[in-house]
Amino acid sequence: MKINEKMYSLGSRRSIIREIFEYCKTRAAEIGADRVFDFSIGNPSVEPPREIAEAIARLIETESATLLHGYTSAQGDYSTRLAIAEDINSRFGTALSPDNLYMTCGAAASLTISLRALMNAGDECILFAPFFTEYRVFVENAGGVPVVSAPEAGSFQIDISDLAGKITERTKAVIVNSPNNPSGVVYTDKTLRALTDLLKEKEREYSHPIYLIADEPYRELVYGGASVPYLMNYYDDTLVCYSYSKALSLPGERIGYIAVSPKMQEGTEVYLAVCGAGRSLGYVCAPSLFQRVIRECIGAKVDIGAYEKNRDLLLNALTEYGFECVRPDGAFYLFVKSPEPDAYKFFERAKRREILVVPCDDFGTPGYVRIAYCVSRERIENSLPAFEALAREYGLKG
Ligand code: PLP
């Protein structure tokens, strides 16, 4: 009997990000880690807040080990969901209850569960370019069809007129990611109002819900006072896919949640479908210890000052060398226009100088690369002469 071809091809061809990340590890073993300028992956470089280690120690000291390491409810520990609901309500004026929340193994699980809960075979899900590469995999795995909407030129905000042409009767969901991976762009209030007004209009036209999936792992990583509107307050049919991977520098602990808006049409059914999708995918009972750690650390924050300083250093230097960069107000990525049309050729030329960036063709934006600046300041400082030489090679600098 044959195995599943689709799964085989996903497993045998890693994502472009992982491919480059693995190359960096091999290269570092050959020439030394300090000589490889690895800007490939979004692994936080800032330590988790002190409260995390303290909460782990306290919980191990004070709680029963069988309870702490045991199964929780499939949808997550009640006291954790209550603490998260109260926190969101106090910050954004929502009316969430624990029964609107489902604890997950990070944003990837939040997205796969939500899509599985919503999509029927052939339903369309709109992705706004540039988008996180795995969205395609997640949508297709849920039986859906990804439809890409092009961004507004230059600003990389959502292009509402392009979107209007992409919504059809088959549109079941849209995925909004702000602050954005890979552009670092934070969608403005104006963009989000226009987006949600259009979605409301289309819901009325087609007489069925179009769900807005807000993928928000970078919500807390914003600079210079940029604000990230809470989409449930703009649009009732919203599910928020949250993760502590970046917000608390805990990507390896696999912890996050789905929040289903309490104002959603058929919200109870959608929440139950989320529980059903979690069950069918085997995503029940997110890591028990870390559910409790999150409960104990509501309000804890990482120090994002280091990311902001990295952003400024890299943005200013690369702009001075003549590269065309999109100014990022959030996340920890710099989105740079390739000096030649084929970003893979630029990638190869950068690689010869031991600079590893990610071509963004798979993010829906050929001709651009992503530089993950969640690295030590030293790595950025040491890489600058190589970036400058690369700019000269392209004749960017006078
Ligand atoms: N969504 C976006 C936009 C991301 O950038 C990532 C990870 O980099 C994820 C989802 C997955 O996050 P997690 O590690 O919480 O599963």
Side-chain angles (χ1 to χ4, degrees), residues 184-202:
V185 164
V186 176
Y187 293 145
T188 61
D189 184 74
K190 186 167 165 247
T191 296
L192 296 172
R193 291 224 177 264
L195 164 72
T196 50
D197 284 349
L198 179 63
L199 292 179
K200 285 176 204 167
E201 189 187 311
K202 293 288 179 182

Side-chain angles (χ1 to χ4, degrees), residues 42 105-109 111 132 135 138 177 179-181 215 217-218 242-246 251 254-255 333 370:
C105 296
L111 288 160
F132 180 49
Y135 289 170
F138 298 160
N177 170 225
N180 183 267
N181 174 9
D215 179 28
Y218 302 99
Y242 191 83
S243 161
Y244 296 94
S245 296
K246 323 281 174 170
R254 315 307 301 137
I255 192 78
Y333 306 107
R370 183 190 86 169

Side-chain angles (χ1 to χ4, degrees), residues 48-59 79-80 83-84 87 91 220 242 244 247-248 250 255 289-302:
R50 221 169 16 96
E51 289 96 314
I52 299 287
E54 288 169 0
I56 295 171
R58 192 172 58 248
L59 284 163
S79 64
T80 301
I84 294 171
D87 177 54
R91 290 165 67 199
E220 324 310 334
Y242 191 83
Y244 296 94
L248 294 180
L250 298 173
I255 192 78
L289 170 62
F290 266 83
Q291 289 193 51
R292 271 63 176 240
V293 170
I294 293 303
R295 181 192 67 201
E296 300 288 300
C297 295
I298 298 284
K301 289 185 170 65
V302 294

Side-chain angles (χ1 to χ4, degrees), residues 114-115 117-120 123-126 128 167 170-176 195-196 199-200 202-203 208-214 231 235-240 259-261 263-271 273-274:
S114 299
L115 288 162
L118 299 174
M119 310 292 285
N120 288 305
D123 284 348
E124 292 170 0
C125 177
I126 294 179
F128 298 102
I167 300 180
R170 301 214 66 121
T171 306
K172 178 59 75 66
V174 302
I175 304 181
V176 176
L195 164 72
T196 50
L199 292 179
K200 285 176 204 167
K202 293 288 179 182
E203 280 196 333
H208 66 69
I210 299 175
Y211 296 99
L212 192 168
I213 300 175
L231 281 160
Y235 189 68
D236 292 347
D237 289 328
T238 296
L239 297 93
V240 173
V260 175
S261 172
K263 292 194 206 153
M264 184 177 284
Q265 312 171 45
E266 299 165 22
T268 306
E269 289 82 351
V270 170
Y271 182 73
V274 163

